[in-house]
Amino acid sequence: MALSDPPVGWGVSWVRVPVRPSVSELRRAVFEALVLPGRFPHRSAEADERIVGALDEARVLVVDEAQRLPAPCLEYLQSLWDRPQARMALVLCGAGSERAVARVPQLASRVCAWQEVGRLAGSEVAATVSAFHPLWAGVAGGEVAWIDQSCTHGVFRTWAALTTHLQNALLTVPDATMDRALLRRLFRRLSPPA
């Protein structure tokens, strides 16, 4: 939603970070997201110099699961943003990321907008998930509605998790087909019985 219409000339980079990364791991993730040439430098100062140089060009850095970032990592992102020559915006995504950002008051004071993404309405689900991943493009609307009523309940993150599990099953299980039996097994992974 936040990136539906970025300003002309602004690039968008998706920063893929591991769970509970160190600052070094986050630095490497930013380096890779910017698709900088050459190998990742061994010295943090050199890596930061190359990253900041790349941020001279207008760039939006998107970090998902930001609620899992420890305070030092959030401070690192803030330090990139604070460089005078950097032309960047940060989009921090994830349920609870507002609490993580609040742990770093200097970063929290720079928030321009908070956006909450609610559940998808039943009428939005089929179009949204088919645009999200080609796996859903050929699935009949009735089947998508059944999946939503049975498991995902309009929660986009649940759709994303189901997509990952389904794609893995189709790629790794011989003769696997997307049918209700397979989907029911995957539903249990997403919401195990109490």
Side-chain angles (χ1 to χ4, degrees):
M1 289 170 57
L3 299 173
S4 61
D5 192 20
V8 174
W10 281 70
V12 177
S13 296
W14 190 273
V15 181
R16 300 182 190 283
V17 293
V19 175
R20 302 298 262 155
S22 65
V23 173
S24 297
E25 291 169 321
L26 178 60
R27 181 179 287 114
R28 178 182 283 274
V30 172
F31 186 92
E32 290 171 356
L34 293 170
V35 193
L36 296 175
R39 298 181 68 171
F40 180 72
H42 292 289
R43 295 180 340 145
S44 59
E46 184 183 342
D48 285 341
E49 182 180 317
R50 292 182 59 195
I51 289 168
V52 169
L55 293 174
D56 284 350
E57 297 178 21
R59 176 77 46 192
V60 179
L61 294 182
V62 181
V63 181
D64 197 8
E65 303 291 348
Q67 75 276 11
R68 296 180 179 176
L69 292 176
C73 286
L74 292 168
E75 290 167 353
Y76 175 73
L77 291 173
Q78 177 202 328
S79 74
L80 293 178
W81 192 9
D82 283 347
R83 308 266 175 133
Q85 68 273 31
R87 295 183 56 216
M88 67 176 280
L90 280 173
V91 176
L92 303 175
C93 307
S97 56
E98 70 281 359
R99 290 186 297 277
V101 170
R103 293 190 315 254
V104 182
Q106 310 89 312
L107 184 59
S109 68
R110 292 167 173 81
V111 172
C112 296
W114 294 103
Q115 242 177 338
E116 183 174 343
V117 179
R119 293 178 187 261
L120 297 168
S123 60
E124 300 172 306
V125 171
T128 302
V129 299
S130 64
F132 164 65
H133 197 280
L135 188 65
W136 303 112
V139 178
E143 283 300 295
V144 170
W146 173 79
I147 294 167
D148 195 50
Q149 291 167 0
S150 302
C151 176
T152 57
H153 310 293
V155 178
F156 187 75
R157 284 192 177 273
T158 308
W159 273 103
L162 178 61
T163 302
T164 299
H165 287 303
L166 180 58
Q167 190 171 22
N168 288 340
L170 293 173
L171 291 172
T172 60
V173 177
D175 300 325
T177 58
M178 186 185 342
D179 57 18
R180 286 191 177 196
L182 174 60
L183 288 166
R184 282 187 184 101
R185 284 196 306 276
L186 298 177
F187 293 170
R188 286 192 296 271
R189 290 184 185 175
L190 299 173
S191 54

